Amino acid sequence: MSATYVWWGIAIYIVMSIFIAYLSRSEKQVNMEGYFLGNRKMNGFVSALSYSATTYSAFMMVGLAGLTYRGGVGALGFEIIYFMGVTLVAFFGPRFWIVGKKFGYVTPSEMLGDRYDDKRVAAIISISSCIFLIPYSAVQLAGVGYLLQGITNGEISFTTGAILATILALIFTYISGIRSVMWTDSLQALVMIVSSSLVVILLVNALGGFGSLFNELRTSHPQTLTVPGNGYFSFPTFLSLTIPWIFFSLSNPQVSQRLYMPSSLGSLRKMLLGFLVFGFIYTIVSVMWGYSAILLFPGLENPDVATPNLLSSVHVPVVLGVIVMVSIMAAAISTIDSILLTLSSLFARDVYGMSSKAKNERQQLKVGKFVIPIIAILAYGFAEMQLDLIAVLSVASSAGLIVVVPAIIGAFFWKRGTATGVMSSVTISGLVVILLEAMKYKPFGYGSGVWGLLLSIVLFVGVSLATRPPERKANEFLSYLKSELSKNQ
């Protein structure tokens, strides 16, 4: 595809997105709740589209399509497991929303620090989130780099794409905080689902229809329709990929922070239902892209370039290819700017906020805005390393974040949990995950996420039983939650 068409598509996207971002500026954001949570006034429709665009980023149309190309139908099972995990939002979402509104929590780690009655809990979880989310941000930047490089056959370099994504994420983040991010996300999500579905229809039609496509796969690539197929999706590999994904909606703070933003519990439910519909369609579309690429472009060395090859093929009209390319880039950027906002709020609220001089909301907000570009630069530096499959690197990041899940579940259901239990489980388990990833070592074939979660559970329960729980705060937190849940049943 001509780089000229691509640049025109990007230019139109930038103009439209910046215009929408400026329209979202309802008032000057002078506090943490306004800038990072939209004053908790987001409606269900916008929340659903933004939640979808943030969650389904470069991972899906580049990463999941590439994973399908690499391992076949196991990729569909892997993503369906994530879908099962989203049911956790239906269960935990109202609980996050109720206590967030009552106690004024801005970040999930702040909630845990308050529930376990120790600010160090919030600080340690925030630092851990920064360590593991920066690589995940880099995944999105790398996705844009691979996309633009592949679709233009190298006319636009990987570095140019990654730098462009970084700059745009910073622009959307600074215009109006989370409000501009959510409104631009909504436009992006609608374009994503419509354009990518059209591409699937065209590709399947070019391959003779669904029946012909799957007949050809059964004949020429039968291993792509079975598990473990070519051997990639062995049971240990499948489990290692899916365990972090099941808990993604709880363990990733850029996702769980969204649970504080809807204007009501009704809006929260609409957000979840809208996301499920969007996600199911997008999952099927991504897997079909991978299957189409197997037949049209066999033998690719890097599965992550399957999507660029499809979009620049003769089977996809140039205009539609540009639209889909822009929508994928926009999805990646929506994830990056959400992560930038979340990580900056974590640092300002829970790390800098530990200082006695940091009680002023305006000062916290100023610090949050200051660290946004620092986080962006770190993510860009990581992206330039161009590591491994995008989908696998995404899961590796989630493997490090999963160690906080026992503490989250314990916050709502176990009075006996203690701050010492949380800090030891998050710190030690997180270090083990980093060590396993650095050594590329998988004990008994299972990845770091499996061992990180198991160790975190053992440490959280064991250390909590050996230390004294914060009875007053636990009773206040859980009693209020129980009474409010009973009112809303």
Side-chain angles (χ1 to χ4, degrees):
M1 185 182 293
S2 169
T4 302
Y5 292 125
V6 173
W7 281 121
W8 272 109
I10 292 172
I12 293 170
Y13 155 69
I14 292 173
V15 171
M16 291 179 63
S17 296
I18 290 178
F19 177 69
I20 290 174
Y22 270 103
L23 288 180
S24 71
R25 291 166 64 99
S26 60
E27 57 193 47
K28 188 175 181 180
Q29 307 299 337
V30 296
N31 58 33
M32 296 286 285
E33 192 172 279
Y35 192 79
F36 292 108
L37 299 182
N39 288 314
R40 307 180 198 270
K41 294 180 180 178
M42 307 311 296
N43 66 51
F45 180 73
V46 172
S47 295
L49 291 176
S50 180
Y51 191 96
S52 299
T54 294
T55 302
Y56 292 124
S57 52
F59 167 77
M60 291 295 284
M61 299 308 285
V62 179
L64 186 60
L67 199 60
T68 304
Y69 188 98
R70 175 69 177 82
V73 73
L76 175 61
F78 158 69
E79 191 62 22
I80 292 298
I81 293 293
Y82 169 73
F83 241 63
M84 293 169 59
V86 173
T87 57
L88 292 171
V89 177
F91 189 73
F92 284 93
R95 289 167 168 78
F96 268 80
W97 187 88
I98 287 170
V99 297
K101 191 173 181 65
K102 166 66 175 177
F103 299 107
Y105 301 138
V106 173
T107 68
S109 48
E110 180 187 13
M111 176 189 76
L112 295 176
D114 187 51
R115 161 62 180 83
Y116 292 104
D117 202 21
D118 194 327
K119 288 185 177 181
R120 293 175 299 171
V121 167
I124 288 173
I125 292 175
S126 295
I127 293 170
S128 174
S129 296
C130 290
I131 291 171
F132 291 109
L133 270 180
I134 287 176
Y136 188 62
S137 300
V139 167
Q140 313 311 319
L141 298 176
V144 175
Y146 283 133
L147 181 67
L148 297 185
Q149 183 184 50
I151 205 171
T152 63
N153 198 26
E155 287 189 64
I156 299 177
S157 69
F158 175 93
T159 298
T160 300
I163 291 175
L164 177 65
T166 304
I167 292 172
L168 289 177
L170 287 171
I171 290 172
F172 297 147
T173 300
Y174 274 119
I175 288 177
S176 188
I178 195 63
R179 288 187 63 86
S180 59
V181 169
M182 292 187 78
W183 278 99
T184 52
D185 281 357
S186 299
L187 169 66
Q188 293 160 10
L190 290 172
V191 175
M192 284 161 58
I193 199 70
V194 173
S195 59
S196 60
S197 298
L198 286 175
V199 168
V200 164
I201 293 171
L202 290 173
L203 290 173
V204 171
N205 184 62
L207 292 166
F210 283 99
S212 178
L213 182 149
F214 284 103
N215 281 333
E216 181 64 23
L217 287 171
R218 274 194 294 269
T219 302
S220 305
H221 307 276
Q223 72 278 7
T224 65
L225 299 174
T226 61
V227 176
N230 60 12
Y232 182 80
F233 279 109
S234 63
F235 179 75
T237 297
F238 186 81
L239 189 67
S240 300
L241 288 172
T242 54
I243 288 295
W245 231 226
I246 293 174
F247 297 103
F248 183 92
S249 57
L250 291 182
S251 63
N252 281 247
Q254 81 278 13
V255 177
S256 58
Q257 190 177 41
R258 296 290 176 114
L259 301 177
Y260 296 139
M261 299 178 193
S263 58
S264 65
L265 282 174
S267 293
L268 179 66
R269 295 187 187 99
K270 290 176 183 176
M271 179 187 82
L272 178 60
L273 289 173
F275 170 75
L276 288 173
V277 172
F278 185 102
F280 179 76
I281 296 172
Y282 213 48
T283 297
I284 299 302
V285 165
S286 299
V287 171
M288 290 306 300
W289 277 37
Y291 274 139
S292 299
I294 289 172
L295 296 179
L296 293 172
F297 304 101
L300 293 176
E301 288 187 19
N302 182 1
D304 286 334
V305 301
T307 288
N309 275 273
L310 288 174
L311 293 181
S312 57
S313 71
V314 296
H315 305 295
V316 180
V318 172
V319 174
L320 181 58
V322 170
I323 291 173
V324 175
M325 178 276 301
V326 169
S327 73
I328 296 172
M329 184 181 79
I333 291 171
S334 75
T335 300
I336 300 163
D337 50 30
S338 292
I339 292 174
L340 290 178
L341 282 169
T342 295
L343 292 184
S344 61
S345 67
L346 290 174
F347 183 85
R349 191 75 162 189
D350 303 321
V351 180
Y352 172 75
M354 286 187 66
S355 167
S356 59
K357 299 178 181 180
K359 301 296 184 183
N360 186 285
E361 287 257 334
R362 288 177 179 266
Q363 185 63 26
Q364 288 184 10
L365 181 57
K366 186 182 296 184
V367 170
K369 289 181 177 181
F370 175 78
V371 300
I372 286 174
I374 297 174
I375 296 169
I377 292 170
L378 290 173
Y380 168 74
F382 205 96
E384 279 293 338
M385 298 170 69
Q386 300 185 40
L387 299 173
D388 216 335
L389 278 167
I390 282 179
V392 176
L393 187 56
S394 298
V395 175
S397 297
S398 293
L401 294 168
I402 201 175
V403 300
V404 77
V405 168
I408 293 174
I409 296 175
F412 294 110
F413 296 104
W414 195 40
K415 284 186 179 181
R416 192 67 184 75
T418 69
T420 307
V422 175
M423 290 186 286
S424 60
S425 65
V426 171
T427 303
I428 297 173
S429 302
L431 289 173
V432 168
V433 168
I434 292 173
L435 183 63
L436 291 176
E437 288 294 332
M439 296 173 60
K440 296 186 177 180
Y441 179 53
K442 297 180 178 181
F444 304 104
Y446 293 94
S448 61
V450 175
W451 299 111
L453 180 60
L454 289 175
L455 181 59
S456 180
I457 293 171
V458 171
L459 288 171
F460 175 64
V461 174
V463 175
S464 291
L465 290 175
T467 50
R468 185 174 180 178
E471 294 183 7
R472 183 192 63 78
K473 189 61 189 183
N475 287 330
E476 178 188 2
F477 185 97
L478 294 173
S479 297
Y480 177 79
L481 181 60
K482 183 179 180 180
S483 66
E484 288 300 304
L485 286 172
S486 62
K487 293 177 185 177
N488 290 280
Q489 285 181 346

